[in-house]
Amino acid sequence: MALITYLIIPLIVLILLFIVFKFIFKIFKYFMIAFVLLIIVTGVSGYLVYKDAKSLAENFGTENKLFLIDIDKIEAGFVIAQDEPIFLTQGQVDFYNDLYLNKDYGNMLGDNYKVLILKIDKIEYSSQILDYEGLRLDKVLIFEIIKSDNPKDLLYNLMFSDKPRQSFDSAFSVDNVEFKSALALLLFMQEFKKNNVLFIIKEFKKGNIIVYPETAVFKFIKILPNDFINDVVTKLSI
């Protein structure tokens, strides 16, 4: 009996060691597979980010970019390339709003390089005042004007009612949707000049600016800490 016991115990130990070794080997194998996949994915992701960054550097400043102004719906918009901005017509604004409601960003893009949708009343601004050539407007008022069906009438009644209407109309000789788009453009450019691309990156991370197509660089930006982005942008003086 004692002999059998002495034989069984080592056998049980060997079986247990075999099971443990097999288990550890499986874990190691899966770990190595995961590690190799991580290296591959990281390498591919890094290459895609580099390739996309190169494309952005080459094309963002020269290709057409469609900016759409969102305050509960698309209210205005403009296209910017190298030259003067091209303001959208009311028909174009309505067209893009229908696509936006259905999240049909592909058709919104059309022939443009990028679409940027600015949730203009959600964006965090460094100043609450738009100051342009002596015209000072509070941002809350700007949002009300952009949402209005009669934006020029609203601005005139609130700020210029003591001036002849004819002079006001001559100074702002554009239609209502162009007037809204121009105000939004001035607001955007004032902030962009103060904070450069960091303004777009920060608001994109917050979800206040939608970029389509959201290529590798923008996907990568989403996972980067804000402090790291600040340091990089500051060092590069972008």
Side-chain angles (χ1 to χ4, degrees), residues 30-46:
Y30 291 140
F31 174 78
M32 286 304 296
I33 291 171
F35 183 69
V36 170
L37 287 174
L38 180 61
I39 291 174
I40 293 171
V41 169
T42 303
V44 171
S45 298

Side-chain angles (χ1 to χ4, degrees), residues 15 20 80 84 104 141 151 164 173 205:
I15 292 171
V20 170
I80 293 181
E84 293 293 318
D104 189 355
L141 174 58
S173 57
K205 280 176 67 67

Side-chain angles (χ1 to χ4, degrees), residues 6-23:
Y6 287 132
L7 290 173
I8 289 174
I9 290 174
L11 183 61
I12 292 172
V13 171
L14 285 172
I15 292 171
L16 288 173
L17 285 173
F18 175 76
I19 293 170
V20 170
F21 176 77
K22 190 175 179 182
F23 178 70

Side-chain angles (χ1 to χ4, degrees), residues 10-74:
L11 183 61
I12 292 172
V13 171
L14 285 172
I15 292 171
L16 288 173
L17 285 173
F18 175 76
I19 293 170
V20 170
F21 176 77
K22 190 175 179 182
F23 178 70
I24 291 173
F25 178 76
K26 275 188 176 181
I27 291 176
F28 179 74
K29 183 176 73 172
Y30 291 140
F31 174 78
M32 286 304 296
I33 291 171
F35 183 69
V36 170
L37 287 174
L38 180 61
I39 291 174
I40 293 171
V41 169
T42 303
V44 171
S45 298
Y47 172 72
L48 291 175
V49 170
Y50 165 76
K51 187 177 178 182
D52 188 37
K54 188 170 181 291
S55 171
L56 282 169
E58 292 172 351
N59 299 310
F60 195 83
T62 57
E63 298 294 327
N64 284 2
K65 296 162 292 293
L66 172 63
F67 289 80
L68 297 172
I69 309 306
D70 173 20
I71 305 182
D72 299 327
K73 66 174 184 173
I74 302 301

Side-chain angles (χ1 to χ4, degrees), residues 7 9 13 27 31 38 41 46 49-51 82 96 117 126 142 150 153 163 166 179 200 202 213 215 221 224:
L7 290 173
I9 290 174
V13 171
I27 291 176
F31 174 78
L38 180 61
V41 169
V49 170
Y50 165 76
K51 187 177 178 182
Q82 291 178 302
Y96 285 122
I117 301 170
S126 56
I142 292 174
N150 299 291
D153 290 345
K163 304 284 193 301
Q166 187 176 358
F179 183 70
I200 295 178
K202 282 185 173 180
T215 47
I221 284 171
L224 291 177

